[in-house]
Amino acid sequence: MRVTLLGTGDTTGTPTVGCDCDTCAAARERGVERSRFSVHVANERTGESLLIDCSPDFRHQFLTNDVPLPDAAVVTHIHFDHLDGLGNAYRLFDDLPVYAADEVDPATGESVADTIRSKYDYLDRITVRDVRPLEPTRVCGLDVTLVPVDHPPLICYGVVVEDPETGAKLSISGDTSYDVPAASRAALADPDLLLADGIVPARFCEYHPLGGKDEGPDGTPYTFGTKHMTREGALAFAEELRAGTTRLVHTAHYYPPDEAFAEPLAVDGETYDL
């Protein structure tokens, strides 16, 4: 399968609109971008493709990357930077199956699947399909598993995509703190490619109102606030999962320019053949 990173940024992206910080300036000078998160997975055996999360930058992402429109989509959670691009289904698709978890979120009183149904009830071009977390579902000839992670106050999921014929495996941490449940860690383990949420360097926790948590052996915070892994947390997570290749995604423009474009931080447009 071919994996294309359509969007590798956090909720504001890099460059951020209206921002003249050194990192945003450097991104403009380099001609690189981190738009809002989205991943395209092409099954070259079947000629089908899958979109993981529907970025509000959907139109731009598909105009600037040489990938086909997806045959199906997966939505990890209902934050706008992962969902609101679904409105682009209007006029672009005859029918787009959208896979989402059926687990009821105490914070909203409904599942991710039900929220999509209610929010996009005007879109007759999408068909929402309920998925049970931690149970593989065959989509586009690939086995897709939603795995619960930790992104308070909402329920959120990471994603595992496996090719049942070749054994190739993509793991996506989803938006999460380092406190990922053991069953989810087991499901995510041993990927050929891991896309891990690493929003900022750990030292930036001093600027968060809630600081950091989930400290490593040397006291380094692996979680920034409560919702996202730090760079150091994401790398520790990758090591624990025994990832073949790791790319940090959902990164913010708060990385200083001398670190913002260094390995293993991803930028939009990267492709990987698994």
Side-chain angles (χ1 to χ4, degrees):
M1 56 181 164
R2 168 162 283 201
V3 179
T4 303
L5 310 188
L6 299 181
T8 56
D10 69 342
T11 188
T12 65
T14 303
T16 293
V17 173
C19 182
D20 60 359
C21 76
D22 290 344
T23 297
C24 288
R28 295 185 184 99
E29 290 169 3
R30 290 168 177 252
V32 299
E33 187 171 5
R34 292 185 174 118
S35 60
R36 274 72 68 89
F37 184 79
S38 188
V39 178
H40 186 276
V41 182
N43 184 344
E44 295 171 310
R45 289 187 296 98
T46 67
E48 299 170 288
S49 62
L50 169 69
L51 184 67
I52 299 171
D53 280 340
C54 300
S55 167
D57 297 312
F58 182 106
R59 179 179 180 276
H60 173 68
Q61 291 171 348
F62 277 89
L63 287 174
T64 55
N65 290 277
D66 185 20
V67 295
L69 286 171
D71 296 284
V74 174
V75 174
T76 61
H77 66 297
I78 61 171
H79 279 154
F80 92 99
D81 53 325
H82 296 257
L83 174 61
D84 281 10
L86 189 55
N88 287 274
Y90 183 64
R91 294 184 179 173
L92 295 185
F93 300 93
D94 293 327
D95 180 53
L96 179 69
V98 178
Y99 294 80
D102 64 358
E103 183 179 17
V104 173
D105 188 339
T108 65
E110 58 186 8
S111 67
V112 173
D114 284 337
T115 297
I116 297 170
R117 285 191 184 94
S118 60
K119 183 169 184 175
Y120 292 99
D121 61 343
Y122 65 92
L123 268 184
D124 58 4
R125 305 300 178 91
I126 68 169
T127 304
V128 182
R129 299 188 178 178
D130 294 70
V131 175
R132 182 67 54 86
L134 293 173
E135 293 185 6
T137 300
R138 186 64 55 88
V139 184
C140 298
L142 302 169
D143 289 335
V144 177
T145 306
L146 290 172
V147 299
V149 291
D150 180 56
H151 190 54
L154 296 178
I155 281 182
C156 184
Y157 303 88
V159 184
V160 177
V161 182
E162 295 182 87
D163 188 322
E165 292 199 14
T166 68
K169 181 174 182 178
L170 165 68
S171 290
I172 301 173
S173 74
D175 284 17
T176 185
S177 78
Y178 185 76
D179 191 21
V180 175
S184 297
R185 289 174 184 262
L188 291 162
D190 299 306
D192 297 293
L193 174 64
L194 171 67
L195 305 180
D197 173 5
I199 192 165
V200 293
R203 66 182 186 274
F204 280 50
C205 289
E206 66 178 285
Y207 301 112
H208 194 290
L210 299 177
K213 68 184 188 82
D214 302 321
E215 294 182 350
D218 63 354
T220 299
Y222 285 173
T223 295
F224 178 67
T226 62
K227 296 183 180 184
H228 297 275
M229 287 188 285
T230 62
R231 173 182 57 193
E232 289 78 0
L235 293 176
F237 190 65
E239 183 176 2
E240 179 186 333
L241 297 185
R242 300 176 299 278
T245 298
T246 300
R247 305 302 288 162
L248 301 192
V249 295
H250 210 279
T251 53
H253 68 132
Y254 300 119
Y255 275 91
D258 61 335
E259 300 176 44
F261 308 102
E263 294 295 323
L265 276 65
V267 295
D268 291 8
E270 295 181 14
T271 60
Y272 297 89
D273 291 307
L274 309 183

